[in-house]
Amino acid sequence: MAGMDAFIGRLDPEMCVVTAVAGGERAGCLVGFASQCSLRPVRFVVWLSELNHTFRVARDAEVLAVHLLAREQHGLAELFGGRTGDRTDKFEGLRLREAYGGAVVLEDVPAWFVGRIVTRAGGGDHIGFVLDPVEWGGHEAYDGPLLRLSGALAIDPGHPVD
């Protein structure tokens, strides 16, 4: 496995916050596994750990919201990645708005989109939610660096990895 660790160790993907709403409950988590997965039609996939609160809400949701974070938004990354929604209301005190399908959007991020869940796919200890983007926005004037995995490594996960 050393070879695969060497490969993966070279990657430095953007970190996202994914939010979900279902059954009167809202949830959100920090996600490092996400990517565009189709050109036509445009599709995006986010991978959620089956262990976390957001997964349990997302499996009953119709849409998810995906947010990019600015590099200096480490506190927001810590909130959504280092705490569990089982014990913490991660949305308290944040500027939010309701978007398509009742999605919760964080207003103070560089960019976001809401996607209808097209399908789900197993992938080990994470489930991929394939999204059809239906609404998007953000701060178009922001052109600074995004928070990447290397900037979030010190965050202890709100749920254990295994």
Side-chain angles (χ1 to χ4, degrees):
M1 195 61 169
M4 201 57 207
D5 286 343
F7 180 90
I8 291 170
R10 292 174 182 262
L11 303 177
D12 196 15
E14 294 88 3
M15 301 300 291
C16 302
V17 169
V18 174
T19 59
V21 178
E25 190 172 10
R26 61 188 182 183
C29 65
L30 186 66
V31 172
F33 305 143
S35 133
Q36 184 175 344
C37 60
S38 175
L39 292 172
R40 289 191 190 98
V42 172
R43 296 285 188 262
F44 196 88
V45 64
V46 293
W47 295 88
L48 302 179
S49 168
E50 293 180 82
L51 298 176
N52 74 33
H53 180 250
T54 303
F55 170 78
R56 294 191 302 275
V57 175
R59 70 180 169 202
D60 295 325
E62 295 182 18
V63 297
L64 299 178
V66 181
H67 309 79
L68 291 174
L69 303 180
R71 183 168 52 197
E72 63 270 9
Q73 290 181 303
H74 195 271
L76 197 56
E78 174 71 36
L79 173 65
F80 281 93
R83 299 195 187 159
T84 174
D86 292 324
R87 295 185 295 273
T88 303
D89 179 359
K90 298 179 185 181
F91 299 93
E92 187 177 335
L94 298 180
R95 289 183 354 108
L96 310 170
R97 77 173 191 80
E98 187 173 317
Y100 179 92
V104 174
V105 169
L106 308 175
E107 290 200 338
D108 296 321
V109 297
W112 58 268
F113 80 91
V114 174
R116 247 187 332 261
I117 299 170
V118 175
T119 193
R120 296 166 181 84
D125 59 2
H126 284 61
I127 300 295
F129 289 75
V130 178
L131 306 174
D132 172 22
V134 293
E135 185 181 0
W136 44 86
H139 298 284
E140 294 186 22
Y142 181 83
D143 65 352
L146 298 174
L147 180 66
R148 295 186 170 277
L149 176 62
S150 59
L153 289 175
I155 298 172
D156 289 325
H159 272 283
V161 175
D162 50 15

